[in-house]
Amino acid sequence: MRRPVALVRLAFFLLVLVGPAVAHEHHGELSEEQAHAPVDAILWIHIFLQAAIWGVLFPVGMVLGMTRSRWHVPLQSAGFALTAAGYVLGHSHGGRAFLAGAHGIMANILFVPIVLQLFLGIYLKLHIHEETIRPWAVRLHGIVGKSYPVLGWTQMLFGAIAFRGYCRGDNLGQCLAHYLMGTGFIAYGTIMSILLLVGEAWVRRSGRSPEWWDSWVITLWGIVNTFTEHHGPVFAAWSVKDMQHTILGVLWWAGGALGIFLSRNNQRSVVPSGIIFLTGWAMSEHAQALMLSTQVHAVFGYTLMLAAVTRLIEVCFIVPKFYPIPSVEVSDGDSHSEHTLADNGREDGNVGSGKVATVKAFRHLPPFLLVSAGLIFMSATDEELDFVHDEGMDHVTYILIMFSVSFILYTLIISLINLFASSGRNGFSAIVVDNGIELAPTPTTKWYSRVPAAELDGPPHIIGDDEDE
């Protein structure tokens, strides 16, 4: 019982630390001196500390929880302690002051999942109510834990907005459009990476092709955009942007409906790629007030078009239906799929290791380009580009900065995916054989069915359940 007692003490300590921060009041109005005061060291520490915790530490802890690694509890405990310190720093700095906004409100809201997750973790460590309450606590612990990357991304975005004083007054609508859609493309690329790299077994069990899910999301997003992009009464004057954005919504739900139909019965479809390509083309022709803004939007459109083309190649040529699929026993008895990496390397029943390696390399292109497109679009608001223009920066330098950030972000994404496939109960143990070293997976349950080893050029990936963190 020594460990649970220590955790209870940690929880009390965090409450003592965070309490004063929650009670902190933000400014309703700022003087010119407060708004343009220098940023002190304490605020910089707050920014980098919270970015490291919510952008790296908590996502790593989440993955380790999903694989039930013994490092999950120590890492998350350290994250709780550090983020509590970050709260205090964020409300005790001097120098520049900031208007009250979403960042401060979200900071207080985050107090709820932090405390809930902390006490759920302590409760689960006590191993009580095994047959009644504990199973539900496990599920709730997992749901809250998996929300941390989304919550962290949202709060970091709010922090950047607060730091620059963006998205106020008439600029709010444009901020929402750019940040929501940009985040959507990044999420799309992240989910695509998961499905392509470690999600083959889940795709099998779902009985749905990836394009079926894509088409549904595109359809629903299109319906929302159709009725929200025009400001004012329906019969009032329509601006060029209103017309373009609304017709994109129509394009998405119309094309998405076709994609849903063509993707039924576990079939691959090119429709989502076509919709993304047309969206990219439209954005590349989206004229703006500043030449810099027009050029940035054009590069965003070209990047989205390239993502669509690479996705089209992946669907049509990387996983061709006419390759014979061998019968390989898996845990759920389903031995046939159009989506596994196995299909790419078998033309005569044998594994083409060189071709598999090529496929594995190519499959990173669509999600990486989607992530890059999302970041570029998020950085293309009028306020951001006005600032870049005033600083005398050209669009080439600005775009290269965004691609640099996208390389860093995609590295984090695939690192987390790789950590999931190789840590905790999804890890591998080495077995020495006559011809060298062969990797064998640890025993798994039915929820952790692996992609058959014969299909891969290297260790098999493990797909985990979503019931525990």
Side-chain angles (χ1 to χ4, degrees):
M1 297 294 291
R2 184 175 299 174
R3 179 177 294 178
V5 170
L7 291 175
V8 171
R9 290 176 178 172
L10 173 62
F12 178 76
F13 173 71
L14 294 180
L15 289 174
V16 172
L17 277 180
V18 177
V22 174
H24 177 85
E25 294 185 0
H26 292 270
H27 300 277
E29 294 183 3
L30 295 178
S31 66
E32 190 72 15
E33 181 181 355
Q34 289 176 315
H36 295 89
V39 178
D40 67 352
I42 293 177
L43 182 57
W44 284 120
I45 294 173
H46 162 78
I47 293 171
F48 287 107
L49 179 63
Q50 294 292 59
I53 295 167
W54 288 92
V56 180
L57 190 62
F58 276 146
V60 170
M62 176 199 70
V63 171
L64 294 178
M66 293 170 66
T67 63
R68 298 185 182 179
S69 167
R70 62 191 177 92
W71 294 104
H72 168 66
V73 173
L75 201 62
Q76 295 298 75
S77 299
F80 289 137
L82 290 172
T83 199
Y87 268 101
V88 176
L89 292 173
H91 294 79
S92 59
H93 65 87
R96 184 178 301 178
F98 302 93
L99 290 169
H103 184 63
I105 296 172
M106 187 68 177
N108 294 339
I109 293 175
L110 284 177
F111 186 68
V112 176
I114 287 173
V115 173
L116 178 60
Q117 188 73 341
L118 182 62
F119 281 101
L120 282 172
I122 294 172
Y123 172 80
L124 293 176
K125 281 298 178 182
L126 297 175
H127 289 280
I128 57 178
H129 311 123
E130 296 281 353
E131 303 296 329
T132 54
I133 300 176
R134 180 179 169 81
W136 295 101
V138 168
R139 287 179 172 84
L140 181 58
H141 185 66
I143 292 171
V144 175
K146 292 179 181 66
S147 71
Y148 269 41
V150 177
L151 295 173
W153 175 266
T154 304
Q155 180 63 339
M156 287 188 288
L157 182 57
F158 286 158
I161 291 171
F163 188 81
R164 293 296 310 163
Y166 292 155
C167 303
R168 295 185 178 273
D170 295 337
N171 294 307
L172 178 59
Q174 190 193 70
C175 278
L176 288 174
H178 278 260
Y179 293 149
L180 284 175
M181 183 171 287
T183 297
F185 283 126
I186 294 171
Y188 188 8
T190 301
I191 294 171
M192 186 182 295
S193 299
I194 295 171
L195 290 178
L196 294 179
L197 300 179
V198 295
E200 292 94 342
W202 181 87
V203 171
R204 281 187 186 152
R205 290 196 299 270
S206 73
R208 305 287 187 181
S209 69
E211 290 74 42
W212 189 85
W213 301 102
D214 294 354
S215 298
W216 267 109
V217 173
I218 290 171
T219 300
L220 296 176
W221 189 273
I223 292 173
V224 172
N225 269 35
T226 299
F227 298 101
T228 58
E229 290 300 319
H230 173 59
H231 304 288
V234 175
F235 297 104
W238 284 60
S239 68
V240 173
K241 287 188 176 181
D242 283 353
M243 289 187 284
Q244 287 183 343
H245 293 166
T246 300
I247 197 60
L248 278 175
V250 175
L251 173 78
W252 292 338
W253 65 252
L258 176 62
I260 293 171
F261 182 80
L262 295 178
S263 303
R264 73 193 191 286
N265 300 325
N266 206 23
Q267 298 299 308
R268 305 304 300 266
S269 170
V270 299
V271 173
S273 300
I275 295 173
I276 294 173
F277 184 90
L278 290 172
T279 303
W281 170 76
M283 290 294 102
S284 69
E285 299 292 328
H286 206 36
Q288 305 291 314
L290 286 176
M291 178 57 69
L292 172 68
S293 182
T294 300
Q295 292 167 327
V296 171
H297 277 78
V299 175
F300 160 67
Y302 299 150
T303 305
L304 206 55
M305 292 166 69
L306 187 56
V309 170
T310 55
R311 179 64 168 163
L312 192 69
I313 294 172
E314 192 272 328
V315 171
C316 294
F317 303 106
I318 298 300
V319 192
K321 295 173 61 176
F322 49 80
Y323 281 171
I325 305 172
S327 296
V328 182
E329 184 179 355
V330 294
S331 62
D332 59 1
D334 182 7
S335 61
H336 299 284
S337 171
E338 299 174 4
H339 314 289
T340 62
L341 209 55
D343 306 342
N344 309 300
R346 295 179 180 269
E347 299 180 359
D348 56 359
N350 298 317
V351 176
S353 59
K355 189 166 188 176
V356 170
T358 302
V359 168
K360 290 169 69 176
F362 184 86
R363 278 188 159 185
H364 285 288
L365 276 176
F368 168 72
L369 291 168
L370 284 171
V371 169
S372 300
L375 280 172
I376 293 172
F377 195 60
M378 291 178 70
S379 67
T381 65
D382 287 345
E383 291 175 295
E384 290 172 297
L385 294 178
D386 284 342
F387 172 76
V388 173
H389 176 74
D390 292 341
E391 291 295 311
M393 186 183 299
D394 69 324
H395 73 284
V396 174
T397 303
Y398 190 58
I399 290 298
L400 291 179
I401 291 173
M402 291 302 108
F403 270 106
S404 299
V405 176
S406 67
F407 278 123
I408 295 172
L409 180 57
Y410 192 68
T411 299
L412 176 61
I413 292 169
I414 61 173
S415 296
L416 291 173
I417 295 172
N418 181 74
L419 181 65
F420 171 79
S422 59
S423 65
R425 62 180 179 178
N426 289 351
F428 302 94
S429 58
I431 300 176
V432 179
V433 294
D434 292 338
N435 295 327
I437 297 178
E438 177 180 318
L439 293 179
T442 55
T444 59
T445 68
K446 66 178 181 178
W447 298 106
Y448 286 79
S449 58
R450 65 184 177 84
V451 179
E455 299 185 0
L456 299 175
D457 181 24
H461 292 300
I462 307 296
I463 186 68
D465 67 357
D466 56 1
E467 295 184 356
D468 195 2
E469 184 198 351

